Amino acid sequence: LAHLPMDCRVGKMLIYGAIFGCLSPMLSIVAALSTTKGVFLESNRNRQGAAQAKARFDDGAGSDLVAAARAFEAWDALEPRARRDFCRDNCLSPQSLDEVRSLRGQFLNHLAEAGFSLDAEAPSMSRRGGVELLKGLVCAGLYPNVVQALRTDRDRIMLRDRDGAQWFCHPKSVNFKAFGRANSRKTRYVAYSLRLHTTKSYLLDTTVVSPLAVLLFGGRLQLTYNRCGLVMDSWLSFKVTENAALCLCALRREIEAVLLRTVNGDGDRALGDSVLSTVSMLMGMLN
C-alpha cells in the first residue's frame, strides 16, 4: 500500500479486486467513493427522483457504492450523444461521472506502476454472487468502519459501533429505510466511509455486509471455546461451531497469505487460485 499514491482504504480495495478477478467493478466503486461530489444530483428539488434512481441502480444490493458504480457503468456503456438524456432521466451528474472515469484510469495506472498483474476478468456487478464478493471486498477496505445491526425490544433495528454509540444511515442512503422495523432474523453489519454529526449521528456511503464477509475480510479473529465461537478485535462475537470456527480461521490465514504473496510478487499461483475460488464460491452462496 505504501507504493500506491492513494488513500490506504482505496488501495486495499483495489488490491483485493485485482487478486479476486473483479478489478473493473472495484475500480468503479473506489472511483465513485473518491469523487469530489457524488454521482447523483440530490438537491431538495429532485431528492425523490434521485432516491428512486439510486434504488434502481442498487437493485437490492444494499450499497450506496454499488449503486453509484452501476450508474457509472450504465452511463459509460452509452454512446456519447445518449448520455445527456440518461443523466437527466436518472438524476446523475455528468461532471462527477467524467471524474469517475478519470479516476479509474489514474488508479489503474498506479496499480500497473506498482507491479500488479492486471488480468482481464468477467464483469461481476450483474450477478448476485459477484455483488456479495464485491461487498466483502468493500468491507475489507473500510474496516474497522463497521457497525452492527441489533434488534431492539421494540422489534426495531439499531446500528451500534464498538463503543455502544447509536448511528443511522444517512437519509440519502439506499439503506436509510432498511433499518426501521425488523423484518429479518439475519444478523447484518454495515460498512461505511465517513461519519456525520448533525441532528443525528449519520453514516455515509454505507454497504450492508453479511457476517461471512466480516469474518473473511474484517479484523483479527480469536478462537474461543464458549458459545460465541469466534470474537473479532475483542468486540464482535460470532456463534459458530468449533469446526466451522477452525475452518474460518484457516481460510483467513490462507487469504492473508495469498495477499502477501501477491504483493511480494511470488508464490504458487495455482494454490492462490484454489483459495480465491473457495472464497468466491462461499460468497456466491449468499442470497
Coordinates of all heavy atoms in Angstrom, one line a residue, residues 29-73:
I29 N -16.2 1.3 -8.2 CA -16.6 1.6 -6.8 C -15.7 2.6 -6.1 O -16.1 3.5 -5.5 CB -16.6 0.2 -6.0 CG1 -17.9 -0.6 -6.5 CG2 -16.7 0.5 -4.5 CD1 -17.9 -2.0 -5.9
V30 N -14.4 2.3 -6.2 CA -13.5 3.2 -5.4 C -13.4 4.6 -6.1 O -13.2 5.6 -5.4 CB -12.1 2.6 -5.3 CG1 -12.1 1.3 -4.5 CG2 -11.4 2.4 -6.7
A31 N -13.6 4.6 -7.4 CA -13.6 5.9 -8.1 C -14.8 6.7 -7.7 O -14.7 7.9 -7.4 CB -13.5 5.8 -9.6
A32 N -16.0 6.1 -7.6 CA -17.2 6.7 -7.1 C -17.0 7.2 -5.7 O -17.5 8.3 -5.3 CB -18.4 5.8 -7.3
L33 N -16.4 6.4 -4.9 CA -16.1 6.8 -3.5 C -15.2 8.0 -3.4 O -15.3 8.8 -2.4 CB -15.5 5.6 -2.7 CG -15.1 5.8 -1.3 CD1 -16.3 6.1 -0.4 CD2 -14.4 4.6 -0.7
S34 N -14.3 8.2 -4.4 CA -13.3 9.2 -4.3 C -13.7 10.5 -5.0 O -12.8 11.4 -5.1 CB -12.0 8.7 -4.9 OG -11.6 7.5 -4.3
T35 N -14.8 10.6 -5.6 CA -15.2 11.8 -6.3 C -15.4 13.0 -5.4 O -15.7 12.8 -4.2 CB -16.5 11.6 -7.1 OG1 -17.5 11.1 -6.2 CG2 -16.3 10.6 -8.2
T36 N -15.2 14.2 -5.9 CA -15.4 15.4 -5.1 C -16.9 15.5 -4.6 O -17.1 15.9 -3.5 CB -15.1 16.6 -6.0 OG1 -13.8 16.5 -6.5 CG2 -15.1 17.9 -5.1
K37 N -17.8 15.2 -5.5 CA -19.2 15.2 -5.2 C -19.8 13.8 -5.7 O -19.2 13.2 -6.5 CB -20.0 16.3 -5.8 CG -19.6 17.7 -5.4 CD -20.4 18.8 -6.0 CE -20.0 20.2 -5.5 NZ -20.8 21.2 -6.2
G38 N -20.9 13.4 -5.1 CA -21.4 12.1 -5.5 C -21.9 12.1 -7.0 O -22.1 13.2 -7.5
V39 N -22.2 11.0 -7.5 CA -22.6 10.9 -8.9 C -24.1 11.3 -9.1 O -24.5 11.6 -10.2 CB -22.3 9.5 -9.5 CG1 -20.9 9.2 -9.5 CG2 -23.1 8.4 -8.8
F40 N -24.8 11.2 -8.0 CA -26.3 11.5 -8.0 C -26.5 13.0 -7.6 O -25.9 13.5 -6.7 CB -27.1 10.6 -7.1 CG -27.1 9.2 -7.6 CD1 -26.2 8.2 -7.1 CD2 -28.0 8.8 -8.5 CE1 -26.2 6.9 -7.5 CE2 -28.1 7.5 -9.0 CZ -27.2 6.5 -8.4
L41 N -27.4 13.7 -8.4 CA -27.7 15.0 -8.1 C -28.9 15.0 -7.1 O -30.0 14.6 -7.4 CB -28.2 15.8 -9.3 CG -27.1 16.0 -10.4 CD1 -27.6 16.5 -11.7 CD2 -26.0 16.9 -9.8
E42 N -28.6 15.4 -5.8 CA -29.6 15.2 -4.8 C -30.0 16.5 -4.1 O -29.9 16.6 -2.9 CB -29.1 14.2 -3.7 CG -28.8 12.8 -4.4 CD -28.1 11.8 -3.4 OE1 -26.9 12.0 -3.1 OE2 -28.8 10.9 -2.9
S43 N -30.4 17.5 -4.9 CA -30.8 18.7 -4.3 C -32.3 18.6 -3.8 O -32.9 17.5 -4.0 CB -30.8 19.8 -5.4 OG -31.8 19.5 -6.4
N44 N -32.7 19.5 -3.0 CA -34.1 19.5 -2.5 C -35.1 19.3 -3.6 O -36.2 18.7 -3.4 CB -34.4 20.7 -1.6 CG -33.5 20.7 -0.3 OD1 -33.2 19.7 0.2 ND2 -33.3 21.9 0.1
R45 N -34.9 19.9 -4.7 CA -35.8 19.9 -5.8 C -36.0 18.5 -6.4 O -37.2 18.2 -6.8 CB -35.4 20.9 -6.9 CG -36.4 21.0 -8.0 CD -35.9 22.0 -9.1 NE -34.6 21.6 -9.7 CZ -34.0 22.3 -10.6 NH1 -34.4 23.4 -11.0 NH2 -32.9 21.8 -11.1
N46 N -35.0 17.7 -6.5 CA -35.1 16.4 -7.1 C -34.7 15.3 -6.2 O -34.2 14.2 -6.6 CB -34.2 16.4 -8.4 CG -32.7 16.5 -8.1 OD1 -32.4 16.8 -7.0 ND2 -31.9 16.3 -9.1
R47 N -34.9 15.5 -4.9 CA -34.5 14.5 -3.9 C -35.2 13.2 -4.1 O -34.6 12.1 -4.1 CB -34.7 15.0 -2.5 CG -34.3 14.0 -1.4 CD -34.5 14.6 -0.1 NE -33.7 15.8 0.1 CZ -33.8 16.6 1.2 NH1 -34.6 16.4 2.2 NH2 -33.0 17.7 1.3
Q48 N -36.5 13.2 -4.4 CA -37.3 12.0 -4.6 C -36.8 11.3 -5.8 O -36.7 10.0 -5.8 CB -38.8 12.3 -4.6 CG -39.6 11.0 -4.7 CD -41.1 11.4 -4.7 OE1 -41.5 12.5 -4.6 NE2 -41.9 10.3 -4.8
G49 N -36.6 12.0 -6.9 CA -36.2 11.4 -8.2 C -34.8 10.7 -8.0 O -34.6 9.6 -8.5
A50 N -33.9 11.4 -7.3 CA -32.6 10.8 -7.1 C -32.6 9.6 -6.3 O -31.9 8.6 -6.5 CB -31.7 11.9 -6.4
A51 N -33.5 9.6 -5.2 CA -33.6 8.4 -4.4 C -34.2 7.2 -5.2 O -33.7 6.1 -5.0 CB -34.6 8.7 -3.2
Q52 N -35.1 7.5 -6.1 CA -35.7 6.4 -6.9 C -34.7 5.9 -7.9 O -34.6 4.7 -8.1 CB -36.9 6.9 -7.6 CG -38.1 7.2 -6.7 CD -39.3 7.9 -7.4 OE1 -39.1 8.4 -8.6 NE2 -40.4 8.0 -6.8
A53 N -33.9 6.8 -8.5 CA -32.8 6.4 -9.4 C -31.8 5.5 -8.7 O -31.3 4.5 -9.2 CB -32.2 7.6 -10.1
K54 N -31.4 6.0 -7.5 CA -30.3 5.3 -6.7 C -30.8 3.9 -6.4 O -30.1 2.9 -6.4 CB -30.0 6.1 -5.5 CG -28.8 5.5 -4.8 CD -28.4 6.3 -3.5 CE -27.9 7.7 -3.9 NZ -27.4 8.4 -2.6
A55 N -32.1 3.8 -6.0 CA -32.7 2.5 -5.6 C -32.7 1.5 -6.8 O -32.5 0.3 -6.7 CB -34.1 2.7 -5.1
R56 N -33.0 2.1 -8.0 CA -33.0 1.2 -9.2 C -31.6 0.7 -9.5 O -31.5 -0.5 -9.8 CB -33.5 2.1 -10.4 CG -35.0 2.3 -10.5 CD -35.4 2.8 -11.9 NE -34.7 4.0 -12.3 CZ -35.1 5.2 -12.1 NH1 -36.1 5.5 -11.3 NH2 -34.4 6.3 -12.5
F57 N -30.6 1.5 -9.4 CA -29.2 1.0 -9.7 C -28.8 0.1 -8.6 O -28.0 -0.9 -8.8 CB -28.3 2.2 -9.8 CG -28.4 3.0 -11.1 CD1 -28.9 4.3 -11.1 CD2 -28.2 2.4 -12.3 CE1 -29.0 5.0 -12.3 CE2 -28.3 3.1 -13.5 CZ -28.8 4.4 -13.5
D58 N -29.2 0.3 -7.3 CA -28.8 -0.6 -6.2 C -29.4 -1.9 -6.4 O -28.7 -2.9 -6.2 CB -29.3 0.1 -4.9 CG -29.0 -0.8 -3.7 OD1 -27.8 -1.0 -3.4 OD2 -29.9 -1.3 -3.1
D59 N -30.7 -2.0 -6.8 CA -31.4 -3.2 -7.1 C -31.3 -4.3 -6.0 O -31.0 -5.4 -6.3 CB -30.9 -3.8 -8.4 CG -31.7 -4.9 -9.0 OD1 -32.9 -4.9 -8.7 OD2 -31.2 -5.8 -9.7
G60 N -31.4 -3.8 -4.8 CA -31.4 -4.8 -3.6 C -30.0 -5.1 -3.1 O -29.9 -5.9 -2.2
A61 N -29.0 -4.5 -3.6 CA -27.6 -4.8 -3.2 C -27.4 -4.3 -1.8 O -26.6 -4.8 -1.0 CB -26.6 -4.3 -4.1
G62 N -28.0 -3.2 -1.4 CA -27.8 -2.6 -0.1 C -26.5 -1.8 0.0 O -25.9 -1.9 1.0
S63 N -26.1 -1.2 -1.1 CA -24.8 -0.5 -1.1 C -24.9 0.8 -1.9 O -25.2 0.8 -3.1 CB -23.7 -1.4 -1.7 OG -22.5 -0.7 -1.8
D64 N -24.6 1.9 -1.2 CA -24.5 3.2 -2.0 C -23.4 3.2 -3.0 O -23.5 3.8 -4.1 CB -24.3 4.3 -1.0 CG -25.4 4.6 0.0 OD1 -26.6 4.6 -0.5 OD2 -25.1 4.7 1.2
L65 N -22.3 2.5 -2.7 CA -21.2 2.4 -3.6 C -21.5 1.6 -4.8 O -21.1 1.9 -5.9 CB -20.0 1.9 -2.9 CG -19.5 2.7 -1.6 CD1 -18.3 2.0 -1.0 CD2 -19.2 4.1 -2.1
V66 N -22.2 0.4 -4.6 CA -22.5 -0.4 -5.8 C -23.5 0.3 -6.7 O -23.4 0.3 -7.9 CB -23.2 -1.7 -5.3 CG1 -23.8 -2.5 -6.4 CG2 -22.1 -2.6 -4.7
A67 N -24.5 1.1 -6.1 CA -25.4 1.9 -6.9 C -24.7 2.9 -7.7 O -25.0 3.0 -8.9 CB -26.4 2.5 -5.9
A68 N -23.8 3.6 -7.1 CA -23.0 4.6 -7.9 C -22.2 4.0 -9.0 O -22.1 4.5 -10.1 CB -22.1 5.4 -6.9
A69 N -21.5 2.9 -8.7 CA -20.7 2.2 -9.7 C -21.6 1.7 -10.8 O -21.2 1.8 -12.0 CB -19.9 1.1 -9.0
R70 N -22.7 1.1 -10.5 CA -23.6 0.6 -11.6 C -24.1 1.8 -12.5 O -24.2 1.7 -13.7 CB -24.8 -0.1 -11.0 CG -24.5 -1.5 -10.5 CD -25.7 -2.1 -9.8 NE -25.5 -3.5 -9.6 CZ -26.3 -4.3 -8.8 NH1 -27.2 -3.7 -8.1 NH2 -26.1 -5.6 -8.6
A71 N -24.4 2.9 -11.8 CA -24.8 4.1 -12.6 C -23.7 4.5 -13.6 O -24.0 4.8 -14.7 CB -25.2 5.2 -11.7
F72 N -22.5 4.5 -13.1 CA -21.4 4.9 -14.0 C -21.2 4.0 -15.1 O -21.1 4.4 -16.3 CB -20.1 5.0 -13.2 CG -18.9 5.0 -14.1 CD1 -18.5 6.2 -14.7 CD2 -18.1 3.8 -14.3 CE1 -17.4 6.2 -15.6 CE2 -17.1 3.8 -15.2 CZ -16.7 5.0 -15.8
E73 N -21.3 2.7 -14.8 CA -21.0 1.7 -15.9 C -22.2 1.7 -16.9 O -21.9 1.5 -18.1 CB -20.9 0.3 -15.3 CG -19.6 0.2 -14.4 CD -19.2 -1.2 -14.1 OE1 -20.0 -2.1 -14.3 OE2 -18.1 -1.4 -13.6

